[in-house]
Amino acid sequence: MDSNVFGLGTHQLQAIDDFLRSTNFGSDHTQRVADLTASISNRDTSKTATILNDALQSFGALYPLALILEVEDVVKSVYADAGIDDAVRDTTLRDVRLWVDQYASQHNGAIGLDRVFWISRHLCAIILHLGRLQFEPKAFGYPYQIFQDSKDDTMIIVAGGGLSCDEDGYLTEDQNAAFQTTLLKDANHFSGHLVDPVQGRIEIQTTQLNLQDYRLIVDSETIVLHLHIPSGSPLTPSSIDESLAMANTYFPLISFIVCSSWLLDPALDLVTSQESNTRDFMHRFKKFPVMHDVPQIYERVFGFGMVEDDVLSFKATTSLQRMVQQALKNGVKFHTTGGYLTNLSN
């Protein structure tokens, strides 16, 4: 275990080696390696995740890492067969080390990996880390339809039927709903709730449109590129442009990108400066609401497990923390927000 494509350090490799030597797996270990080899070769993320999660539950958080190291050559072959550049492969697979470090930070320095469902997509070369961002092709999955106007190519977002919304047009639990969406269609017309693409909320009034004037671009089953934002360097406009251009190279047949994040919340306009990279990134996207229990901005800016009362009592050390606290005191509501963009070379 002198080196590995996952970025694991010497002390981590030694801990895995010690674990393998001191643990009696019987014949199960050999079978797990064989099963994992097959699932990764087939790029079956569900099976890969199931195998790693079974290992995690049976023998603890070091065991998934041990199995991943056993199939390193298989993972490399999958990337090579998919025509993925070695540099992109290495950057993508470094996510293993990132989550090992995250695990250590939450477990008093212990070495392990528990994000097996997420990492399985990297092992199977489904998620690619391209420049500053990560991209994953899969179904859109949100309860909206996006139409393009045949006259001027502008797009509208129409909410699906039966969505529970609060008085501001954001998704909520049924018992808290101020209204529920309806969507009625016939051969020529549809009547439904449009989504404000700037504020990312559903309009309370329905709108009737002529279907002959619009072309359906995306529904919940359409394959799109899901954009993920790993921690790291600033989201500079040039780094985003570079990532989008790389995505256009690796996924030339998919021209629609979606993302769900606190970084798309229009309320960021109230807590960031005009020159903020975060604000620039947020404004690239047309918005739609997504369901969330606690606004993601709490955990990402203040720490995991935070709720609003924790945020308000937190001893702020950054300007963003102070601005978010003041905004909450002023009655601002934050929302994890979905969004899309269509120009990969933007």
Side-chain angles (χ1 to χ4, degrees), residues 3-42:
S3 63
N4 61 92
V5 75
F6 308 110
L8 298 175
T10 302
H11 72 293
Q12 294 161 333
L13 296 174
Q14 186 60 56
I16 295 167
D17 191 43
D18 292 343
F19 169 77
L20 288 172
R21 293 174 184 274
S22 62
T23 307
N24 181 14
F25 303 102
S27 60
D28 289 345
H29 178 70
T30 301
Q31 187 60 53
R32 281 194 178 95
V33 172
D35 291 344
L36 190 59
T37 296
S39 66
I40 292 175
S41 297
N42 294 327

Side-chain angles (χ1 to χ4, degrees), residues 71-86:
V71 297
E72 179 178 2
D73 288 342
V74 178
V75 172
K76 288 180 179 179
S77 294
V78 166
Y79 275 80
D81 292 345
I84 298 168
D85 181 83
D86 286 355

Side-chain angles (χ1 to χ4, degrees), residues 244-276:
L244 294 176
M246 292 177 71
N248 195 28
T249 298
Y250 276 94
F251 304 100
L253 300 181
I254 306 178
S255 59
F256 206 92
I257 294 178
V258 301
C259 181
S260 174
S261 173
W262 71 277
L263 291 166
L264 270 60
D265 187 350
L268 289 172
D269 273 338
L270 304 175
V271 296
T272 57
S273 67
Q274 291 284 349
E275 300 77 23
S276 167

